Amino acid sequence: MKANGGETLVDSMKKLGIEYAFGIVGSSLLEVFDLLPLAGIEYIGARHEQWAGHMADGYARASGKIAALLLQNGAGLTNVVTAASTAKRANSPILIVSGAPLSKTIGRGTYQEEDHVAVMMPVTKWSRRVERADRISENVKTAYNIAMSTPKGPTHIDVPRDFLYEIVDYEGINHNFYLSDVQRTLPVEVLKQIEELIKGSDRPVLIAGGACNDKEISAKLIQFSKRLSVPICTTYGHNDVVPSDYPLMLGSIGRGGSEAAMKAVKEADLLLCVGTRLDEFTFLPYYGFPYFPKEAKIIQFTVNPEHLGRSYQITMGILSSALSAANALADIANNININESTKNSRFQEFSEAKHSWEEKISKREQNSNEIDIKDVYLYLRENLPHNAIVAVDIGASPAFSYSLLKFYYNRTFMSPGPLGGVGFSIPAATGASIARKDDPVYALLGDGAFTMELPALITAIEHKIPLNVVVFDNSAWGMEKANQQYFYDSRFIGTNLNNPDLVTVSKSLGAYSQMVEEYNELDRTMKDVFSNKGVNVLVVKVDPLKLPLPARRDALQKPFRGIYK
């Protein structure tokens, strides 16, 4: 049949199952925007491309599906680099489509021209410019296949604007694509080596990374753990990989994580690391003691060969998807006849360590009527529905989420991840709320991040996307203020904020909002705010000097001064 290039692009997106497109309208893709409602693809217009990118990321993380991200050429594309990099590190599938200048002018430095492919190459799995109008559909299919293959991630196609109007022959697209996780049966000799290492270990520990955030993988890891009473820890930002109520799920390691998990790792003689990069941040000391076990044997399973043994010496490096690794470990465990006394002893030791840690962190640390950040997290810990989805930002107040919140299902906890960018939580939560309409969604962030993300809040309100936002207002960039408090003798330069009235601002945008300043009002206010339908903003006034431990004590120090003393 005859169709224009824009039709082939949008029809290909529809046939591949894309239901939502995020972005900001721009003239280079107007033909695409005009076709979206005709194809039944819902468009969510943001107020900044970075927030649109985080929305697509949040949607992908919560649903496991791919979303489209539509961008104007030039600054429209360069504005999304942070979001694309965040999504790539989180293995979030996004089809990024940017308009490009007229094909005949590309390379002349024309208006709104940038080398889009070069810009996006480092922050996506695959980036290409469409060379001919009749190859648009082919490029969409290729981008989709790469985005949805293990490890998943964002891909990018750049389409010269004149191609969208060119008439081409179009055969349609085969929409019966089935892309399963990469399945590799490990060689028998490799399985035997793994089995012997496990048999020879007295204190094995399983470390599950972000690639394990899948119901089937989680079930296999628990099967392995139950069979041998091996404790499970998760890497930073992936607390939802294994349900919190599993007795041998000790919590996360890394910044703000579980002391019980870190102590188990410290005393391990074998680490089984599945679906993780295993980088320096994985073993970041936090509670005053280093816990990387230098003498332990390490088996690392990852689908990316670049990550094998890159940061640490490993005993075995196995190129494998997380699902293949989890299946192999479950099968190996069934072949091991463990002494029941050993199994019971391990279970008792680690379940008790977990219980002791949870008791320790569950106690309120003050008797005054002032609200501590921890008070809010303890309330959320006990009162959030089990199906709640939580997106946190980077900073001082979200740091408590890694130890204090509980998660019972996969794909319910989202953080900015290794890139560590401020500006993630509200747009990611917005995308998650679109993906999971029956689950309550919460964004937790500080006041600095909140004022940065107000455009994303406007999008949620404009599109009537239900959302609960908790703003910890300490009038500061809290994490950097903690660093200055700890390393710079409390010389606060650039970290104190002079905020407007955040409740008034929220209400003016159309949100329901309240502020709470006293502990005895916390329960009532939170219930009132969160029982409201729509977009809700709770502002919690907290002490500006009660800050968490600095996260990067490995990289900061009290400076020697020879000139400026």
Side-chain angles (χ1 to χ4, degrees), residues 102-120:
L102 294 169
S103 57
K104 66 181 180 181
T105 66
I106 288 174
R108 294 179 179 171
T110 188
Y111 182 66
Q112 291 186 320
E113 181 177 5
E114 184 52 89
D115 189 342
H116 293 170
V117 173
V119 169
M120 298 303 287

Side-chain angles (χ1 to χ4, degrees), residues 131-154:
E131 299 296 336
R132 294 170 25 151
D134 61 359
R135 296 186 65 184
I136 290 175
S137 180
E138 170 197 328
N139 278 267
V140 172
K141 285 188 288 186
T142 302
Y144 172 87
N145 290 342
I146 294 171
M148 293 297 287
S149 63
T150 305
K152 295 179 181 180

Side-chain angles (χ1 to χ4, degrees), residues 215-271:
K215 185 178 180 180
E216 185 178 356
I217 297 172
S218 179
K220 288 293 182 180
L221 295 180
I222 290 174
Q223 182 181 330
F224 169 82
S225 170
K226 278 184 176 179
R227 170 71 181 154
L228 303 177
S229 284
V230 174
I232 301 176
C233 311
T234 61
T235 55
Y236 172 72
H238 302 299
N239 301 51
D240 56 339
V241 164
V242 175
S244 297
D245 56 356
Y246 174 56
L248 293 180
M249 162 56 171
L250 301 186
S252 71
I253 54 178
R255 177 195 176 201
S258 160
E259 189 175 294
M262 295 176 196
K263 286 181 176 177
V265 169
K266 181 180 181 181
E267 297 168 2
D269 60 4
L270 174 65
L271 298 182

Side-chain angles (χ1 to χ4, degrees), residues 299-315:
I299 304 174
Q300 182 186 9
F301 301 86
T302 176
V303 77
N304 192 330
E306 291 183 16
H307 297 156
L308 282 172
R310 183 166 63 180
S311 300
Y312 297 96
Q313 290 290 336
I314 58 178
T315 310

Side-chain angles (χ1 to χ4, degrees), residues 19-32:
E19 300 172 6
Y20 290 93
F22 300 84
I24 292 183
V25 67
S27 65
S28 65
L29 291 180
L30 277 184
E31 175 66 6
V32 173

Side-chain angles (χ1 to χ4, degrees), residues 512 514 523-532 536:
Y512 180 77
Q514 286 199 44
D523 180 79
R524 180 195 62 79
T525 308
M526 293 187 85
K527 284 180 179 175
D528 174 65
V529 173
F530 296 151
S531 64
N532 188 61
N536 308 308

Side-chain angles (χ1 to χ4, degrees), residues 36-348:
L36 291 177
L38 300 176
I41 297 173
E42 186 170 346
Y43 171 64
I44 306 294
R47 301 300 178 97
H48 190 284
E49 289 85 358
Q50 181 178 338
W51 311 149
H54 288 320
M55 288 174 193
D57 184 2
Y59 172 87
R61 293 198 207 188
S63 67
K65 300 177 180 179
I66 190 170
L69 179 58
L70 307 179
L71 305 170
Q72 173 72 350
N73 51 304
L77 177 123
T78 59
N79 278 347
V80 87
V81 167
T82 296
S85 180
T86 300
K88 182 182 180 182
R89 295 167 191 235
N91 302 133
S92 298
I94 303 171
L95 173 64
I96 303 172
V97 180
S98 60
L102 294 169
S103 57
K104 66 181 180 181
T105 66
I106 288 174
R108 294 179 179 171
T110 188
Y111 182 66
Q112 291 186 320
E113 181 177 5
E114 184 52 89
D115 189 342
H116 293 170
V117 173
V119 169
M120 298 303 287
M121 189 73 77
V123 296
T124 60
K125 289 183 66 180
W126 183 83
S127 178
R128 292 289 187 277
R129 173 172 291 138
V130 177
E131 299 296 336
R132 294 170 25 151
D134 61 359
R135 296 186 65 184
I136 290 175
S137 180
E138 170 197 328
N139 278 267
V140 172
K141 285 188 288 186
T142 302
Y144 172 87
N145 290 342
I146 294 171
M148 293 297 287
S149 63
T150 305
K152 295 179 181 180
T155 54
H156 166 243
I157 60 172
D158 193 43
V159 187
R161 58 194 305 158
D162 49 309
F163 287 2
L164 299 174
Y165 300 99
E166 190 172 325
I167 308 301
V168 299
D169 290 317
Y170 178 59
E171 297 179 357
I173 185 171
N174 176 13
H175 64 279
N176 191 26
F177 284 79
Y178 177 71
L179 299 172
S180 67
D181 196 354
V182 176
Q183 291 293 301
R184 292 190 181 96
T185 301
L186 299 179
V188 174
E189 60 271 21
V190 172
L191 295 173
K192 191 65 180 174
Q193 287 181 59
I194 298 170
E195 183 176 329
E196 291 304 316
L197 284 170
I198 295 172
K199 284 180 177 178
S201 168
D202 293 321
R203 300 187 68 82
V205 172
L206 175 62
I207 297 179
C212 300
N213 203 341
D214 172 87
K215 185 178 180 180
E216 185 178 356
I217 297 172
S218 179
K220 288 293 182 180
L221 295 180
I222 290 174
Q223 182 181 330
F224 169 82
S225 170
K226 278 184 176 179
R227 170 71 181 154
L228 303 177
S229 284
V230 174
I232 301 176
C233 311
T234 61
T235 55
Y236 172 72
H238 302 299
N239 301 51
D240 56 339
V241 164
V242 175
S244 297
D245 56 356
Y246 174 56
L248 293 180
M249 162 56 171
L250 301 186
S252 71
I253 54 178
R255 177 195 176 201
S258 160
E259 189 175 294
M262 295 176 196
K263 286 181 176 177
V265 169
K266 181 180 181 181
E267 297 168 2
D269 60 4
L270 174 65
L271 298 182
L272 298 146
C273 306
V274 181
T276 171
R277 297 178 181 87
L278 208 62
D279 58 21
E280 290 82 1
F281 208 75
T282 305
F283 300 103
L284 183 72
Y286 194 75
Y287 294 109
F289 64 90
Y291 56 92
F292 175 71
K294 295 181 180 179
E295 304 301 320
K297 294 180 171 66
I298 300 175
I299 304 174
Q300 182 186 9
F301 301 86
T302 176
V303 77
N304 192 330
E306 291 183 16
H307 297 156
L308 282 172
R310 183 166 63 180
S311 300
Y312 297 96
Q313 290 290 336
I314 58 178
T315 310
M316 290 185 71
I318 300 167
L319 195 62
S320 163
S321 71
L323 180 57
S324 296
N327 283 329
L329 289 175
D331 291 341
I332 288 169
N334 289 332
N335 294 332
I336 297 175
N337 293 316
I338 185 171
N339 181 283
E340 284 299 315
S341 175
T342 300
K343 181 178 177 180
N344 293 336
S345 175
R346 281 184 190 170
F347 182 87
Q348 183 173 355

